[in-house]
Amino acid sequence: MEKWMKNDLYIFENLIDEDIRHRNVSEISRKNNLPDMAVSLAQGQFLYLIAKIKNATRILEIGTFVGYSTIWLAKAIPDGGLVISLEYDESYAKMARENIEYAGCSDRVKVVQGEAIDSLNKLIEEREEPFDMIFIDADKPNYSTYLELALRLSKSGTVIYGDNVVRDGELCNAENPDEKVIGVRSFIEELGKSKIVESTALQTVGIKGYDGFTLSVVK
Ligand code: SAH
Ligand code: DHB
Ligand code: MG
């Protein structure tokens, strides 16, 4: 096993006290041979801590999968808070709702099934109140569009987190034809050009390999 994987396991064991039902959600997903798309334990706790630092009460997630990261975000907000999570795959959305209910978070989470772009446009049209934190984690080719729409659902101080942007180190490779790499590159370039956000990106290694994320705050 790679050393960074062993270190991740050491970190999980020593730092993170995951609720048993929450842990079962990732086990169920593993046992059902679903793709390994959820954030790791340490990344989940990191999202939770950001939401806490921000005192977030309203969080938007783009890309629910089966709700593992959604539950981390839901646990970070106070009673009366809301996580809206967008997922186009009907069976994932259904599993997510079941998992969120099982983890005791369904009082504060709404999973919206549909194409994220349509759901975001609907939230904008319906004048949904701005969010304190937005977690972008769906299809990478649409990240720039998600950013543009997310900014319309933001206010000063909104935290925007973009997952999976380093992609085994291919982020810097302008020649890579992979649409996911092209997608995250244009996302990062848009963040850099934007006059209304301040951003950084950090590279990560661990149980999910070599990747990284962006973190932005709306001015
Ligand atoms: N946030 C989850 C993982 C999300 S994986 C976690 O960490 O636990 C990305 C998800 O985005 C997948 O479930 C995929 O079905 C969904 N997705 C991909 N394209 C989408 C689109 N156009 N609209 C909405 N959801 C989409
Ligand atoms: C994929 C998506 C993710 O958000 C992730 O963290 C890992 C993998 C994917 O689409 O394969
Ligand atoms: Mg991700």
Side-chain angles (χ1 to χ4, degrees), residues 37-39 61-70 86-89 92 114-117 135 137-140 142 146 163:
M37 299 198 290
V39 291
E61 174 176 70
I62 308 174
T64 319
F65 185 39
V66 296
Y68 182 71
S69 55
T70 322
L86 314 180
E87 173 57 54
Y88 85 143
D89 185 289
Y92 291 160
E115 274 289 345
I117 292 177
F135 177 42
D137 196 24
D139 46 326
K140 315 309 164 191
N142 279 321
Y146 296 146
D163 202 25

Side-chain angles (χ1 to χ4, degrees), residues 11-213:
I11 290 164
F12 298 168
E13 210 173 290
N14 285 283
L15 282 181
I16 306 168
D17 188 17
E18 191 180 33
D19 173 87
I20 182 68
R21 291 193 168 219
H22 197 182
R23 171 157 314 186
N24 285 342
V25 167
S26 48
E27 309 249 307
I28 293 164
S29 152
R30 224 185 337 271
K31 280 191 195 128
N32 285 303
N33 274 323
L34 298 179
D36 182 26
M37 299 198 290
V39 291
S40 76
L41 188 53
Q43 290 163 345
Q45 174 92 336
F46 187 65
L47 287 166
Y48 167 91
L49 290 172
I50 292 173
K52 285 247 159 170
I53 292 165
K54 172 68 194 154
N55 280 318
T57 63
R58 293 175 50 79
I59 301 179
L60 174 64
E61 174 176 70
I62 308 174
T64 319
F65 185 39
V66 296
Y68 182 71
S69 55
T70 322
I71 295 168
W72 278 109
L73 296 169
K75 285 183 182 286
I77 61 174
D79 288 348
L82 177 67
V83 178
I84 296 182
S85 187
L86 314 180
E87 173 57 54
Y88 85 143
D89 185 289
E90 280 181 34
S91 73
Y92 291 160
K94 181 169 176 285
M95 278 186 256
R97 290 190 188 106
E98 288 165 5
N99 288 335
I100 290 160
E101 168 87 47
Y102 169 74
C105 298
S106 52
D107 62 328
R108 58 195 63 192
V109 179
K110 201 170 131 191
V111 175
V112 179
Q113 191 272 319
E115 274 289 345
I117 292 177
D118 297 342
S119 305
L120 289 164
N121 278 317
K122 198 144 177 258
L123 292 173
I124 295 166
E125 269 164 37
E126 288 169 355
R127 302 192 178 277
E128 184 69 32
E129 260 181 70
F131 294 91
D132 303 305
M133 179 171 171
I134 301 179
F135 177 42
I136 303 179
D137 196 24
D139 46 326
K140 315 309 164 191
N142 279 321
Y143 266 33
S144 298
T145 309
Y146 296 146
L147 174 64
E148 192 188 313
L149 298 171
L151 288 171
R152 296 176 63 190
L153 292 161
S154 297
K155 58 186 173 184
S156 176
T158 297
V159 172
I160 300 177
Y161 183 113
D163 202 25
N164 312 117
V165 300
V166 176
R167 317 209 63 79
D168 270 316
E170 285 302 297
L171 173 63
C172 64
N173 184 1
E175 310 298 316
N176 191 318
D178 180 332
E179 56 175 12
K180 294 184 182 179
V181 172
I182 295 170
V184 296
R185 284 174 59 84
S186 90
F187 173 63
I188 290 213
E189 287 159 28
E190 290 303 321
L191 283 175
K193 279 187 268 176
S194 168
K195 302 231 182 318
I196 60 168
V197 293
E198 295 175 293
S199 304
T200 190
L202 287 177
Q203 306 183 65
T204 54
V205 287
I207 200 146
K208 314 260 316 185
Y210 176 19
D211 208 342
F213 62 90

